[in-house]
Amino acid sequence: MFDMKKMSCFLVCISFLAGMLPAQEREVKLKIIQTSDVHGNYYPYDFIHEREASGSLARVYALVRKQREVYKDNLILLDNGDILQGQPTAYYYNYIDTVAPHVTAGMMNFMGYDAGNMGNHDVETGRAVFDRWAGDCRFPILGANIIDTATGQPHFKPYEVFERDGVRIAVMGMITPAIPVWLSENLWKGLRFEDMEETARKWMKIIREKERPDLVVGMFHAGQAAQWMAGLYRENASVEVARNVPGFDVVLMGHDHARECRKIANIAGDSVLVMDPASNAVVVSDVEVTLKLRDGKVVDKQIDGTLSDTGNYGISEEFVSHFAPQYRTIQNFVSKKIGHFTETVSTRPAYFGPSAFVDLIHSLQLEISGADISFAAPLSYDTEIKEGDVFVNDMFNLYKYENMLYTMNLSGREIRNALEMSYGLWTNRMTSPEDHLLLFREHRREGAEDRAAFKNFSFNFDSAAGIIYTVDVTKPEGEKVSIAGMADGTPFDMDKIYKVALNSYRGNGGGELLTKGAGISQDELKKRIISSTDKDLRYYLMQYIERKKKIEPRALNQWKFIPEEWVAPASRRDYDSLFGKIKK
């Protein structure tokens, strides 16, 4: 007969012994690798400058393959945007071969990316391009704050959840919302870009309640020096989000091309690792996560980050071999001769006065638009096109971005005020001949080569053509620029409305020269646009040079810095500081 008393005693003993057993503990190690701002640097070769590239996806893949030997499927590979613009490889598959699968998607699929994120230069390719690329990717492209205006829902997935070794990892993607300040609406028609912090707070609640992740990663295409753009958009708010929205363990940044790896405390007192690998795949964000689990629940996290140099891992021959046919296609594309330059042109003189480099762009803009006045800046910090035959790859030196050409109505006063802000960003206020002419920053951030020693970005250093003027560097901003008249000898009128040719970045409010400088509201800018080209300025430069066949570059000499007796020695010193000994 079954003895209930004995059975009860047995169960009590078993329960007691179970309570004495140690909890089941185990350790899970994860590796997260982030690329950002690759800017078309896929091959270990720079097609623009015709030299080996220090970074590239081919190098990243060598690093990833090595790390996967250790971490296997516990390695998560992420890209944080601005991958679709920069090198001719991206340009070719964006706009010329639009039938083949997008090479960028093919490469990222080959490398085993787990998720991507949208960057502003990806949006700049236009919806036809970035939607095609995203559709070709066999992994999700994220963008929690990129909203479809028709549905009110995110155009891309707001986040993705990965499960690795019983651990749930949520990755939320966002982009800087300042897109409308830089890019024409026809490139992102039907979309809007919402505030990062508000978006993060909304989706963090959903992720926590619905997904119950063990680790939360923010992947934000925005830098860390937060500022308001046009009074409407909070730009570079990544660190603010990390600090003000509890729940993130890691925030991966991009956009500002400056290396960063540090921990901050959020408002809940928790530590958040923030990282930025700068640009061009020279380094990657390398995050090592160790999680201790007890009975299936995470009880401890150790998160460490380092910026790993891709140059230490060599080049993946497997990658290069697989994409060799596309390499040959791009080599043939960039090698096409389009004309001849009688002299070498460089951006270097452009910081010290009129230059043949920038004035060639001015001349083209005036010719295409029929405008009265042109605004243009050196878009690359330090580049040149040598005397002799000119090829397609040189055009990526001459004009770095895929900007359209706008013609806008601006008053004489607005023109002057925009120039005042430009030269305020550009020049120091000299108090003696020994002072700097240029406005330098105190400390240079590693990885921020495109800013070099300048306090501000040189792509906002607009000069003008079509008017004769001086810039007095002894005066404060607002009093530097004196316009003597139009280049054709007619008077310049502060109250007259002029047609001004400028690129779409500037015309949409980029650099704030027209908004903050000229005092035109962001909404008003659209009403000032008379016309826009349907193709980018680089395309028209190529057409212009092919038509002319021989270009004799020359400075228009329509403006100058004064007083010249101070400017001349300061220019020599500042040139040497930036570039070394002046070329003869």
Side-chain angles (χ1 to χ4, degrees):
M1 179 181 279
F2 186 74
D3 191 330
M4 289 295 296
K5 287 185 178 180
K6 286 183 179 179
M7 185 63 180
S8 298
C9 183
F10 175 75
L11 290 173
V12 168
C13 290
I14 291 295
S15 298
F16 177 76
L17 289 171
M20 297 289 289
L21 290 172
Q24 292 294 311
E25 291 191 354
R26 63 190 183 93
E27 189 175 84
V28 175
K29 285 186 177 290
L30 303 172
K31 174 72 73 172
I32 300 171
I33 300 291
Q34 176 218 10
T35 53
S36 189
D37 299 87
V38 171
H39 285 292
N41 288 280
Y42 311 148
Y43 295 102
Y45 182 74
D46 182 338
F47 290 99
I48 300 174
H49 300 100
E50 300 179 289
R51 63 192 183 202
E52 183 179 350
S54 54
S56 65
L57 289 185
R59 296 182 189 278
V60 172
Y61 192 51
L63 179 153
V64 168
R65 286 292 301 273
K66 192 69 177 175
Q67 296 280 15
R68 280 180 177 150
E69 291 176 8
V70 177
Y71 290 90
K72 305 293 192 291
D73 291 340
N74 281 9
L75 185 147
I76 297 173
L77 180 58
L78 305 171
D79 180 74
N80 197 4
D82 276 10
I83 197 167
L84 291 180
Q85 271 192 351
Q87 279 281 326
T89 317
Y91 184 88
Y92 185 86
Y93 286 97
N94 287 345
Y95 306 113
I96 296 173
D97 185 350
T98 60
V99 177
H102 202 294
V103 73
T104 313
M107 289 173 168
M108 297 175 82
N109 291 336
F110 179 83
M111 294 172 67
Y113 271 88
D114 293 287
N117 194 33
M118 285 293 290
N120 55 294
H121 283 286
D122 304 320
V123 176
E124 190 171 15
T125 65
R127 284 199 63 170
V129 175
F130 67 72
D131 281 341
R132 169 176 147 243
W133 160 70
D136 287 343
C137 290
R138 296 199 297 265
F139 52 87
I141 301 299
L142 307 179
N145 63 334
I146 304 175
I147 307 301
D148 188 314
T149 55
T151 65
Q153 298 300 311
H155 181 66
F156 297 99
K157 291 189 75 170
Y159 66 89
E160 182 74 350
V161 176
F162 305 99
E163 187 156 330
R164 299 289 189 271
D165 224 356
V167 171
R168 290 174 64 78
I169 307 106
V171 179
M172 182 197 304
M174 291 194 292
I175 192 174
T176 171
I179 303 296
V181 175
W182 306 314
L183 304 179
S184 174
E185 188 175 348
N186 70 306
L187 298 171
W188 44 272
K189 195 171 181 63
L191 304 175
R192 69 172 185 268
F193 305 89
E194 296 190 337
D195 181 77
M196 286 176 54
E197 190 170 325
E198 291 176 9
T199 301
R201 196 165 276 114
K202 169 189 171 180
W203 286 104
M204 181 62 77
K205 186 174 187 294
I206 293 170
I207 290 169
R208 285 293 185 196
E209 292 176 356
K210 181 181 177 182
E211 309 294 351
R212 301 192 178 279
D214 300 301
L215 189 79
V216 180
V217 178
M219 185 161 59
F220 307 151
H221 192 83
Q224 61 177 301
Q227 59 179 317
W228 283 100
M229 298 291 286
L232 298 171
Y233 309 102
R234 192 68 168 158
E235 157 77 332
N236 285 334
S238 291
V239 171
E240 287 193 347
V241 173
R243 183 176 290 119
N244 297 335
V245 182
F248 291 104
D249 297 289
V250 181
V251 164
L252 302 173
M253 305 182 294
H255 184 53
D256 61 357
H257 292 200
R259 298 181 190 183
E260 187 63 88
C261 182
R262 63 188 170 105
K263 290 186 177 180
I264 64 168
N266 66 20
I267 57 173
D270 298 319
S271 176
V272 184
L273 175 66
V274 295
M275 298 190 72
D276 189 330
S279 61
N280 300 324
V282 176
V283 301
V284 297
S285 300
D286 187 334
V287 184
E288 187 171 290
V289 181
T290 303
L291 303 117
K292 289 184 179 178
L293 287 80
R294 182 176 298 132
D295 295 333
K297 293 184 178 180
V298 174
V299 293
D300 185 61
K301 300 177 192 176
Q302 179 64 40
I303 303 173
D304 297 296
T306 187
L307 295 173
S308 293
D309 193 329
T310 60
N312 295 334
Y313 292 81
I315 295 165
S316 168
E317 295 303 328
E318 183 186 5
F319 180 99
V320 171
S321 175
H322 191 86
F323 295 101
Q326 293 92 333
Y327 179 94
R328 289 191 292 271
T329 296
I330 301 306
Q331 191 66 63
N332 290 335
F333 169 60
V334 299
S335 299
K336 179 188 173 186
K337 178 185 171 182
I338 58 173
H340 186 90
F341 275 21
T342 60
E343 293 183 24
T344 296
V345 294
S346 166
T347 53
R348 292 184 178 187
Y351 306 114
F352 307 97
S355 71
F357 193 105
V358 173
D359 286 354
L360 175 59
I361 296 168
H362 278 309
S363 298
L364 178 77
Q365 292 188 164
L366 290 170
E367 179 173 307
I368 293 174
S369 66
D372 307 303
I373 295 165
S374 168
F375 283 175
L379 298 187
S380 297
Y381 157 64
D382 182 20
T383 194
E384 70 174 12
I385 299 174
K386 292 188 180 297
E387 172 191 352
D389 290 342
V390 177
F391 302 90
V392 167
N393 67 307
D394 291 312
M395 294 300 95
F396 290 80
N397 268 324
L398 187 60
Y399 209 87
K400 187 174 182 180
Y401 301 112
E402 275 92 79
N403 298 145
M404 308 300 177
L405 176 64
Y406 281 3
T407 306
M408 300 182 72
N409 281 328
L410 299 178
S411 73
R413 186 166 286 101
E414 288 166 342
I415 290 165
R416 180 184 175 276
N417 289 343
L419 289 172
E420 284 286 0
M421 181 173 174
S422 172
Y423 287 102
L425 296 172
W426 180 348
T427 61
N428 182 41
R429 185 183 182 185
M430 297 181 70
T431 58
S432 78
E434 285 70 43
D435 285 344
H436 286 295
L437 166 67
L438 305 177
L439 190 60
F440 291 125
R441 63 190 290 117
E442 290 183 16
H443 304 290
R444 187 181 304 194
R445 286 179 64 189
E446 188 179 9
E449 286 81 10
D450 52 358
R451 183 178 291 196
F454 295 130
K455 184 174 182 181
N456 301 295
F457 289 113
S458 59
F459 54 70
N460 289 324
F461 296 176
D462 270 8
S463 62
I467 54 176
I468 306 298
Y469 64 101
T470 59
V471 181
D472 189 337
V473 292
T474 67
K475 299 287 181 64
E477 180 183 341
E479 301 175 20
K480 292 176 182 283
V481 178
S482 297
I483 302 174
M486 301 297 292
D488 64 6
T490 58
F492 180 82
D493 187 341
M494 290 289 182
D495 297 315
K496 183 178 176 179
I497 301 298
Y498 293 95
K499 291 180 180 179
V500 180
L502 70 182
N503 68 35
S504 53
Y505 171 81
R506 188 72 70 236
N508 288 316
E512 299 188 292
L513 300 189
L514 296 185
T515 50
K516 187 177 177 182
I520 305 168
S521 72
Q522 189 69 37
D523 291 336
E524 175 69 17
L525 284 178
K526 290 182 184 178
K527 301 173 186 175
R528 301 295 191 91
I529 300 170
I530 304 167
S531 64
S532 170
T533 58
D534 59 352
K535 291 185 172 64
D536 63 273
L537 265 164
R538 189 188 299 124
Y539 170 85
Y540 291 103
L541 280 164
M542 290 170 65
Q543 297 289 310
Y544 178 81
I545 294 167
E546 280 189 297
R547 188 172 67 251
K548 296 277 188 181
K549 292 186 174 58
K550 185 170 78 170
I551 301 293
E552 299 178 4
R554 63 182 182 88
L556 297 174
N557 294 320
Q558 294 180 353
W559 67 275
K560 63 181 178 180
F561 287 125
I562 59 172
E564 293 179 79
E565 64 273 18
W566 285 21
V567 169
S571 294
R572 287 192 293 270
R573 290 193 306 271
D574 286 358
Y575 187 106
D576 289 350
S577 175
L578 285 169
F579 308 115
K581 189 176 180 181
I582 295 176
K583 292 182 178 180
K584 299 297 185 183

PDB file of all heavy atoms in Angstrom, residues 9 53 64 101 116 157 160 175-176 178 205 229 271 298 373 388 396-397 439 538:
ATOM      1  N   CYS A   9       7.388  13.005   3.318  1.00  0.00           N
ATOM      2  CA  CYS A   9       8.716  13.220   3.918  1.00  0.00           C
ATOM      3  C   CYS A   9       9.786  13.279   2.842  1.00  0.00           C
ATOM      4  O   CYS A   9      10.689  14.118   2.880  1.00  0.00           O
ATOM      5  CB  CYS A   9       9.010  12.098   4.901  1.00  0.00           C
ATOM      6  SG  CYS A   9      10.588  12.310   5.773  1.00  0.00           S
ATOM      7  N   ALA A  53      44.041  53.052 -50.061  1.00  0.00           N
ATOM      8  CA  ALA A  53      43.200  53.648 -49.017  1.00  0.00           C
ATOM      9  C   ALA A  53      43.578  53.068 -47.657  1.00  0.00           C
ATOM     10  O   ALA A  53      43.780  51.856 -47.530  1.00  0.00           O
ATOM     11  CB  ALA A  53      41.730  53.377 -49.309  1.00  0.00           C
ATOM     12  N   VAL A  64      36.741  41.480 -39.130  1.00  0.00           N
ATOM     13  CA  VAL A  64      35.546  40.751 -38.711  1.00  0.00           C
ATOM     14  C   VAL A  64      35.755  39.243 -38.808  1.00  0.00           C
ATOM     15  O   VAL A  64      35.378  38.484 -37.908  1.00  0.00           O
ATOM     16  CB  VAL A  64      34.329  41.205 -39.550  1.00  0.00           C
ATOM     17  CG1 VAL A  64      33.144  40.261 -39.350  1.00  0.00           C
ATOM     18  CG2 VAL A  64      33.940  42.631 -39.186  1.00  0.00           C
ATOM     19  N   PRO A 101      21.900  44.847 -58.937  1.00  0.00           N
ATOM     20  CA  PRO A 101      21.784  44.977 -57.472  1.00  0.00           C
ATOM     21  C   PRO A 101      22.825  45.969 -56.962  1.00  0.00           C
ATOM     22  O   PRO A 101      23.951  45.995 -57.458  1.00  0.00           O
ATOM     23  CB  PRO A 101      22.071  43.560 -56.971  1.00  0.00           C
ATOM     24  CG  PRO A 101      21.717  42.683 -58.127  1.00  0.00           C
ATOM     25  CD  PRO A 101      22.082  43.455 -59.362  1.00  0.00           C
ATOM     26  N   GLY A 116      21.829  47.971 -40.387  1.00  0.00           N
ATOM     27  CA  GLY A 116      22.384  49.241 -40.826  1.00  0.00           C
ATOM     28  C   GLY A 116      21.531  50.378 -40.306  1.00  0.00           C
ATOM     29  O   GLY A 116      20.444  50.163 -39.766  1.00  0.00           O
ATOM     30  N   LYS A 157      12.541  50.159 -40.075  1.00  0.00           N
ATOM     31  CA  LYS A 157      12.321  49.554 -38.761  1.00  0.00           C
ATOM     32  C   LYS A 157      12.926  50.453 -37.685  1.00  0.00           C
ATOM     33  O   LYS A 157      14.047  50.945 -37.848  1.00  0.00           O
ATOM     34  CB  LYS A 157      12.966  48.164 -38.685  1.00  0.00           C
ATOM     35  CG  LYS A 157      12.291  47.108 -39.542  1.00  0.00           C
ATOM     36  CD  LYS A 157      12.838  45.722 -39.241  1.00  0.00           C
ATOM     37  CE  LYS A 157      12.321  45.190 -37.920  1.00  0.00           C
ATOM     38  NZ  LYS A 157      12.643  43.760 -37.714  1.00  0.00           N
ATOM     39  N   GLU A 160      15.785  46.556 -33.978  1.00  0.00           N
ATOM     40  CA  GLU A 160      15.864  45.123 -34.262  1.00  0.00           C
ATOM     41  C   GLU A 160      16.340  44.413 -32.991  1.00  0.00           C
ATOM     42  O   GLU A 160      17.167  44.956 -32.239  1.00  0.00           O
ATOM     43  CB  GLU A 160      16.827  44.847 -35.410  1.00  0.00           C
ATOM     44  CG  GLU A 160      16.946  43.390 -35.804  1.00  0.00           C
ATOM     45  CD  GLU A 160      15.751  42.864 -36.575  1.00  0.00           C
ATOM     46  OE1 GLU A 160      14.707  43.560 -36.665  1.00  0.00           O
ATOM     47  OE2 GLU A 160      15.845  41.740 -37.118  1.00  0.00           O
ATOM     48  N   ILE A 175      18.584  58.925 -36.887  1.00  0.00           N
ATOM     49  CA  ILE A 175      19.372  59.845 -37.708  1.00  0.00           C
ATOM     50  C   ILE A 175      19.234  61.254 -37.151  1.00  0.00           C
ATOM     51  O   ILE A 175      18.234  61.563 -36.482  1.00  0.00           O
ATOM     52  CB  ILE A 175      18.870  59.789 -39.173  1.00  0.00           C
ATOM     53  CG1 ILE A 175      19.822  60.501 -40.129  1.00  0.00           C
ATOM     54  CG2 ILE A 175      17.466  60.381 -39.288  1.00  0.00           C
ATOM     55  CD1 ILE A 175      19.442  60.339 -41.599  1.00  0.00           C
ATOM     56  N   THR A 176      20.221  62.106 -37.397  1.00  0.00           N
ATOM     57  CA  THR A 176      20.054  63.512 -37.038  1.00  0.00           C
ATOM     58  C   THR A 176      18.801  64.060 -37.719  1.00  0.00           C
ATOM     59  O   THR A 176      18.581  63.796 -38.915  1.00  0.00           O
ATOM     60  CB  THR A 176      21.275  64.354 -37.452  1.00  0.00           C
ATOM     61  OG1 THR A 176      20.971  65.740 -37.279  1.00  0.00           O
ATOM     62  CG2 THR A 176      21.664  64.120 -38.896  1.00  0.00           C
ATOM     63  N   ALA A 178      18.182  67.054 -38.592  1.00  0.00           N
ATOM     64  CA  ALA A 178      18.440  68.329 -39.277  1.00  0.00           C
ATOM     65  C   ALA A 178      18.500  68.206 -40.796  1.00  0.00           C
ATOM     66  O   ALA A 178      18.945  69.123 -41.474  1.00  0.00           O
ATOM     67  CB  ALA A 178      19.744  68.937 -38.747  1.00  0.00           C
ATOM     68  N   LYS A 205      10.518  52.764 -24.133  1.00  0.00           N
ATOM     69  CA  LYS A 205       9.402  52.214 -23.351  1.00  0.00           C
ATOM     70  C   LYS A 205       8.827  50.974 -24.034  1.00  0.00           C
ATOM     71  O   LYS A 205       8.586  49.944 -23.406  1.00  0.00           O
ATOM     72  CB  LYS A 205       8.319  53.290 -23.194  1.00  0.00           C
ATOM     73  CG  LYS A 205       7.161  52.896 -22.285  1.00  0.00           C
ATOM     74  CD  LYS A 205       6.232  54.090 -22.082  1.00  0.00           C
ATOM     75  CE  LYS A 205       5.160  53.790 -21.040  1.00  0.00           C
ATOM     76  NZ  LYS A 205       4.224  52.739 -21.460  1.00  0.00           N
ATOM     77  N   MET A 229      19.736  73.703 -34.913  1.00  0.00           N
ATOM     78  CA  MET A 229      19.891  74.119 -36.300  1.00  0.00           C
ATOM     79  C   MET A 229      18.615  74.824 -36.736  1.00  0.00           C
ATOM     80  O   MET A 229      17.516  74.264 -36.622  1.00  0.00           O
ATOM     81  CB  MET A 229      20.142  72.913 -37.200  1.00  0.00           C
ATOM     82  CG  MET A 229      21.413  72.143 -36.885  1.00  0.00           C
ATOM     83  SD  MET A 229      22.915  73.050 -37.270  1.00  0.00           S
ATOM     84  CE  MET A 229      22.930  72.940 -39.050  1.00  0.00           C
ATOM     85  N   SER A 271      25.989  53.615 -16.133  1.00  0.00           N
ATOM     86  CA  SER A 271      27.077  53.898 -17.067  1.00  0.00           C
ATOM     87  C   SER A 271      26.660  53.541 -18.489  1.00  0.00           C
ATOM     88  O   SER A 271      26.045  52.500 -18.728  1.00  0.00           O
ATOM     89  CB  SER A 271      28.316  53.086 -16.671  1.00  0.00           C
ATOM     90  OG  SER A 271      29.346  53.271 -17.606  1.00  0.00           O
ATOM     91  N   VAL A 298      20.120  37.934 -16.489  1.00  0.00           N
ATOM     92  CA  VAL A 298      21.379  38.664 -16.425  1.00  0.00           C
ATOM     93  C   VAL A 298      21.504  39.335 -15.061  1.00  0.00           C
ATOM     94  O   VAL A 298      20.628  40.097 -14.646  1.00  0.00           O
ATOM     95  CB  VAL A 298      21.473  39.730 -17.545  1.00  0.00           C
ATOM     96  CG1 VAL A 298      22.713  40.588 -17.374  1.00  0.00           C
ATOM     97  CG2 VAL A 298      21.478  39.051 -18.908  1.00  0.00           C
ATOM     98  N   ILE A 373      25.023  86.893 -59.045  1.00  0.00           N
ATOM     99  CA  ILE A 373      26.050  86.668 -58.023  1.00  0.00           C
ATOM    100  C   ILE A 373      26.115  85.175 -57.718  1.00  0.00           C
ATOM    101  O   ILE A 373      25.095  84.472 -57.790  1.00  0.00           O
ATOM    102  CB  ILE A 373      25.719  87.478 -56.747  1.00  0.00           C
ATOM    103  CG1 ILE A 373      25.781  88.986 -57.047  1.00  0.00           C
ATOM    104  CG2 ILE A 373      26.650  87.128 -55.582  1.00  0.00           C
ATOM    105  CD1 ILE A 373      25.130  89.845 -55.978  1.00  0.00           C
ATOM    106  N   GLY A 388      47.298  69.252 -66.766  1.00  0.00           N
ATOM    107  CA  GLY A 388      47.329  68.142 -67.713  1.00  0.00           C
ATOM    108  C   GLY A 388      45.948  67.597 -67.972  1.00  0.00           C
ATOM    109  O   GLY A 388      44.930  68.266 -67.733  1.00  0.00           O
ATOM    110  N   PHE A 396      35.604  64.332 -58.603  1.00  0.00           N
ATOM    111  CA  PHE A 396      35.263  64.091 -57.199  1.00  0.00           C
ATOM    112  C   PHE A 396      36.175  64.897 -56.274  1.00  0.00           C
ATOM    113  O   PHE A 396      35.857  65.114 -55.109  1.00  0.00           O
ATOM    114  CB  PHE A 396      35.335  62.597 -56.883  1.00  0.00           C
ATOM    115  CG  PHE A 396      34.246  61.806 -57.540  1.00  0.00           C
ATOM    116  CD1 PHE A 396      34.334  61.430 -58.871  1.00  0.00           C
ATOM    117  CD2 PHE A 396      33.111  61.453 -56.832  1.00  0.00           C
ATOM    118  CE1 PHE A 396      33.329  60.713 -59.494  1.00  0.00           C
ATOM    119  CE2 PHE A 396      32.088  60.730 -57.435  1.00  0.00           C
ATOM    120  CZ  PHE A 396      32.191  60.365 -58.777  1.00  0.00           C
ATOM    121  N   ASN A 397      37.314  65.336 -56.790  1.00  0.00           N
ATOM    122  CA  ASN A 397      38.157  66.296 -56.085  1.00  0.00           C
ATOM    123  C   ASN A 397      37.618  67.704 -56.238  1.00  0.00           C
ATOM    124  O   ASN A 397      37.593  68.488 -55.286  1.00  0.00           O
ATOM    125  CB  ASN A 397      39.584  66.266 -56.654  1.00  0.00           C
ATOM    126  CG  ASN A 397      40.487  65.310 -55.914  1.00  0.00           C
ATOM    127  OD1 ASN A 397      40.375  65.156 -54.707  1.00  0.00           O
ATOM    128  ND2 ASN A 397      41.377  64.662 -56.638  1.00  0.00           N
ATOM    129  N   LEU A 439      40.838  81.606 -38.450  1.00  0.00           N
ATOM    130  CA  LEU A 439      40.295  81.298 -37.129  1.00  0.00           C
ATOM    131  C   LEU A 439      40.538  79.821 -36.831  1.00  0.00           C
ATOM    132  O   LEU A 439      39.890  78.944 -37.402  1.00  0.00           O
ATOM    133  CB  LEU A 439      38.795  81.615 -37.102  1.00  0.00           C
ATOM    134  CG  LEU A 439      38.105  81.592 -35.742  1.00  0.00           C
ATOM    135  CD1 LEU A 439      38.731  82.599 -34.786  1.00  0.00           C
ATOM    136  CD2 LEU A 439      36.611  81.882 -35.902  1.00  0.00           C
ATOM    137  N   ARG A 538      28.392  68.260 -59.901  1.00  0.00           N
ATOM    138  CA  ARG A 538      29.525  67.538 -60.476  1.00  0.00           C
ATOM    139  C   ARG A 538      29.225  67.122 -61.927  1.00  0.00           C
ATOM    140  O   ARG A 538      30.091  67.192 -62.797  1.00  0.00           O
ATOM    141  CB  ARG A 538      29.859  66.313 -59.629  1.00  0.00           C
ATOM    142  CG  ARG A 538      31.160  65.637 -60.042  1.00  0.00           C
ATOM    143  CD  ARG A 538      31.366  64.320 -59.330  1.00  0.00           C
ATOM    144  NE  ARG A 538      31.437  64.480 -57.896  1.00  0.00           N
ATOM    145  CZ  ARG A 538      30.638  63.843 -57.053  1.00  0.00           C
ATOM    146  NH1 ARG A 538      29.703  63.022 -57.487  1.00  0.00           N
ATOM    147  NH2 ARG A 538      30.757  64.010 -55.749  1.00  0.00           N
TER     148      ARG A 538
END
